[in-house]
Amino acid sequence: MNSIASVVAYGAEWASTHGGLSTVNRELCSSLAARGLTVSCVVVAATPAERADAAARGVTLIEVPTDAQPPELALARRPVLPPGVMPELIIGHGRVTGPAALSVARDHFPQAKLAHVIHTAPDEIEWLKTGRIGDAGHRAESRTQLEVALARAADRVYAVGPQLHLRYLNELHGFGVVPDRIDPGFDLTEQRMATPPPGAPVRVLVAGRAEDAMVKGLDLAARAMGIVARKQRDHLPVELYVRGAPAGSAEALRNRLQRWARNPALHIVVRPYSTDREQLSGELLAASLVLMPSRFEGFGLTGVDAVSAGIPLISSSRSGLALLLRELLPEGEADRHIVAMSGDDELDAQRWARAIGAKLEDRPAAFAQAGSLRTFMAGRRTWSGAVDHLLRGLGVDIALWTTSAGTPRGASGLVPGDRPGTQPFSSCVAVGFDVVENEDGLDDRGGSA
C-alpha cells in the first residue's frame, strides 16, 4: 500500500469524557486530516460544539443511530459516510471501539486496512480497582483476551507509549504478533513560557478520572501533601486541587482525601470531571505543580498536558510517560520529574512529599526546569510524527505526501515536477517523533527502541 486517501476512526466520542483514549483518537484524527486525508470519526453522539470543533480540524463526525441499547452496539453498524468516501484505513481503540471497528472493517469494508490501538493493561490495573462487580482476576483475563483477539485480527497493532509496548510485545509474542508503538505528541499548547502563578494558596494539581482512586494514587498524593503542609508553616499555604471526581461524588472523595492526608490543616478542593478545555487550561496554568502519582498508568496524558504547558510535573515511575522521559532525556535529567515507586505506601508517600517539597521550595527554578523540558519534548514527539509513523507501519510511503517545499500532500501523490522527500527510515517501532539532526549531522531518534 503506497497511499491512503480516506480514514474512518472509531472513537465513541469526540470530547474526552472517558479519558485518554478519546484524546488520542481526536489528535490522531486531527493530524491525519492535516496530512490531507479525508477523515471521518464515528461516535455514539456529538454536540453542536463537538461537530464544529471536529470540522475546524478537518474531521467529519459520523453519529450512529441511537435506537440500539446500549447505544455502543450501534457502532458496529455500517456508518453512513459522506458521498464518495470509501475507507482505506479503519482505526479502532482498545475494547471500547476495537470490536466495532473490526466488525465494520471485515463485514462492510474488507478492502480497508485495520489498525488497532492499545491503551490499557488490564493485568496491571484491574487488581487495584475497588467496588467493582465480579472477580478482578476474571475481569483482567477476559479483557486481556479481548485485547489479544483484536490485535490478532488487525492488520497492524499500535501500543500507546513504551510501557504498554513492552507489555504487549510479551503478551502477543506467542501469537506471532509484533506490536508497533505510538508516542503521544507534546505539541505546544501555550506560546508563552509559564511562570509561577501569583497569590495564595500554592496549588498542587491532580487531574484525570478519579473514580479509581487507588489506581491513580490519590491516597499517596493526599498523604504526601499532608506531610508537605505540615512542613510549610513558614511559607505560603499549599492546596491539593483534584479535578476528576465522578458526578455527585466530590464531597465523598474530599472526605476520603482528608482521611488519607492525616492533616486537617491541608486545604483540599475537589472538582467533578470536566471536558471544558478552556476551564481545564485555566486550572492548569494556575497550578504550581502537577502530580501524576498513579500506581500504574499506561501513558499519562495529564502529564503530557503539564509538560506541553511548561508546568512543573512529578510523575510516578510506573507510567509510560516516565519511561519515555528516561529514554529521551540525558542520564539523570529524568529523575527531576519522576518519583520511584516501591509498592510500600508509607515509603512512597514520604518520597512524594520530598519531591513535592523540593519543587515548591524554589518555584522559579522548578518552572525553569519545566520550560526546558517543554522545549525538549516538543522537538522530539509530535502528533504529526505519530501519524507519519502509524502510516509508515501500514506500508504507506510518506514521501509521496511531501512536496519539494515540504508541504503535506494528500494521497493523490506528488505534484508534477515534485521530487520525493526524504525516504522514511526503517523501524520495528512506530513512534510519534520528528527526526532532528544532532551536531554530527546524524538522525537523533531520542534513544527510541
Side-chain angles (χ1 to χ4, degrees), residues 44 68 73 168 236 238 244 253-255 313 319 354 360 380 392:
V44 172
L73 292 177
Y168 282 95
L236 290 174
V238 294
L253 177 58
R254 185 176 187 273
N255 291 337
L313 166 75
S319 71
R354 286 195 295 272
L360 298 185
R380 296 303 190 281
R392 285 191 183 106

Side-chain angles (χ1 to χ4, degrees), residues 79-138:
V80 180
L81 299 174
V85 171
M86 183 63 65
E88 295 169 291
L89 171 61
I90 294 176
I91 302 174
H93 294 273
R95 63 183 178 85
V96 179
T97 66
L102 172 61
S103 176
V104 170
R106 298 298 180 248
D107 292 345
H108 302 295
F109 305 107
Q111 82 290 344
K113 292 282 189 179
L114 175 63
H116 181 66
V117 183
I118 298 174
H119 296 259
T120 62
D123 283 327
E124 295 280 1
I125 62 176
E126 292 302 325
W127 310 99
L128 298 171
K129 294 180 179 179
T130 58
R132 301 301 175 91
I133 298 174
D135 177 66
H138 175 71

Side-chain angles (χ1 to χ4, degrees), residues 98-445:
L102 172 61
S103 176
V104 170
R106 298 298 180 248
D107 292 345
H108 302 295
F109 305 107
Q111 82 290 344
K113 292 282 189 179
L114 175 63
H116 181 66
V117 183
I118 298 174
H119 296 259
T120 62
D123 283 327
E124 295 280 1
I125 62 176
E126 292 302 325
W127 310 99
L128 298 171
K129 294 180 179 179
T130 58
R132 301 301 175 91
I133 298 174
D135 177 66
H138 175 71
R139 288 199 310 271
E141 182 179 33
S142 62
R143 290 179 177 184
T144 299
Q145 287 177 340
L146 176 57
E147 203 73 76
V148 169
L150 292 168
R152 295 179 68 186
D155 294 295
R156 200 70 167 174
V157 185
Y158 301 89
V160 177
Q163 183 156 251
L164 293 175
H165 183 246
L166 289 172
R167 171 164 281 277
Y168 282 95
L169 274 174
N170 178 266
E171 194 75 56
L172 297 171
H173 176 71
F175 303 100
V177 178
V178 180
D180 289 334
R181 172 178 141 190
I182 295 177
D183 289 340
F186 289 75
D187 306 65
L188 298 182
T189 56
E190 291 284 333
Q191 294 306 311
R192 61 185 176 89
M193 296 294 287
T195 56
V202 175
R203 178 180 294 178
V204 177
L205 173 67
V206 181
R209 300 189 64 84
E211 68 266 32
D212 295 317
M214 303 308 287
V215 179
K216 297 300 183 183
L218 295 184
D219 58 320
L220 297 176
R223 179 72 185 109
M225 284 294 294
I227 297 170
V228 170
R230 191 168 286 112
K231 295 179 178 180
Q232 292 282 105
R233 291 174 181 169
D234 297 330
H235 298 77
L236 290 174
V238 294
E239 174 182 86
L240 176 60
Y241 192 101
V242 177
R243 165 65 77 178
S249 69
E251 186 175 359
L253 177 58
R254 185 176 187 273
N255 291 337
R256 294 173 71 191
L257 290 166
Q258 286 178 319
R259 289 195 300 272
W260 287 327
R262 305 179 199 172
N263 183 356
L266 173 65
H267 189 244
I268 300 174
V269 175
V270 178
R271 296 279 191 259
Y273 189 83
S274 174
T275 60
D276 186 324
R277 293 179 205 165
E278 184 176 11
Q279 180 183 48
L280 296 176
S281 176
E283 290 177 350
L284 180 61
L285 294 175
S288 290
L289 180 62
V290 174
L291 306 182
M292 199 171 71
S294 306
R295 288 183 168 86
F296 182 86
E297 192 75 51
F299 191 79
L301 293 177
T302 296
V304 173
D305 289 340
V307 172
S308 299
I311 307 299
L313 166 75
I314 306 176
S315 170
S316 158
S317 62
R318 297 279 288 149
S319 71
L321 173 57
L323 290 186
L324 182 63
L325 294 181
R326 291 199 189 282
E327 275 188 18
L328 300 182
L329 290 171
E331 185 174 357
E333 287 293 314
D335 293 337
R336 295 181 175 183
H337 314 284
I338 299 171
V339 168
M341 301 285 279
S342 70
D344 181 320
D345 288 351
E346 190 57 37
L347 174 59
D348 288 342
Q350 293 289 341
R351 288 178 174 178
W352 277 94
R354 286 195 295 272
I356 293 168
K359 293 284 188 183
L360 298 185
E361 185 71 23
D362 190 346
R363 287 193 296 160
F367 271 82
Q369 291 174 2
S372 297
L373 180 63
R374 169 185 186 259
T375 302
F376 181 89
M377 293 303 295
R380 296 303 190 281
R381 293 294 187 269
T382 65
W383 284 110
S384 62
V387 158
D388 285 356
H389 284 276
L390 182 149
L391 294 173
R392 285 191 183 106
L394 291 161
V396 176
D397 189 351
I398 301 299
L400 294 177
W401 281 338
T402 305
T403 67
S404 56
T407 305
R409 296 290 303 175
S412 57
L414 296 167
V415 173
D418 275 343
R419 295 169 57 88
T422 303
Q423 293 297 317
F425 53 82
S426 61
S427 174
C428 66
V429 180
V431 294
F433 59 78
D434 291 336
V435 178
V436 296
E437 289 189 346
N438 61 23
E439 292 178 351
D440 298 321
L442 301 175
D443 287 345
D444 175 10
R445 300 173 195 171

